[in-house]
Amino acid sequence: CAPEVVRGEDGRWGIQAQFKRQWQVGLWQRLFDDLLNAPAGAEAYPLESLRGAFEEYLVDRPEKMRELKLLMMKQTIMLFSM
């Protein structure tokens, strides 16, 4: 179920969902805030800074990097075994 997108009193868009504390709330809030409030008419939103924040998080936590790689491998196997 996708989170509901709402417009706040300040005019900015956001999602109406509760993040679990282990989900790195700051990273995800920034991602949704930046993407939902990208300037109108922009050809492409520069994702480098968002990518950098997520990469930094993973580099600082090698166990999370390994877990993510394993999950991506499992997903690939599932997709191509159908």
Side-chain angles (χ1 to χ4, degrees):
C1 174
E4 183 179 350
V5 176
V6 295
R7 189 171 211 152
E9 291 179 10
D10 60 356
R12 295 186 63 78
W13 293 97
I15 61 167
Q16 190 170 4
Q18 295 295 318
F19 292 105
K20 293 182 181 178
R21 61 186 163 94
Q22 70 267 24
W23 285 359
Q24 301 307 313
V25 175
L27 282 174
W28 291 106
Q29 283 178 334
R30 178 178 168 201
L31 175 107
F32 287 114
D33 183 67
D34 286 359
L35 294 179
L36 290 172
N37 296 293
E43 287 185 26
Y45 184 81
L47 298 175
E48 292 86 14
S49 65
L50 287 172
R51 178 180 175 172
F54 277 87
E55 285 179 347
E56 183 179 318
Y57 171 78
L58 290 171
V59 166
D60 290 345
R61 293 159 187 84
E63 71 283 355
K64 294 290 184 186
M65 177 86 77
R66 284 189 296 276
E67 183 181 346
L68 180 60
K69 286 181 180 180
L70 179 63
L71 290 170
M72 291 173 68
M73 285 190 312
K74 286 180 179 180
Q75 181 181 31
T76 301
I77 290 168
M78 288 176 59
L79 286 171
F80 290 103
S81 66
M82 297 180 144

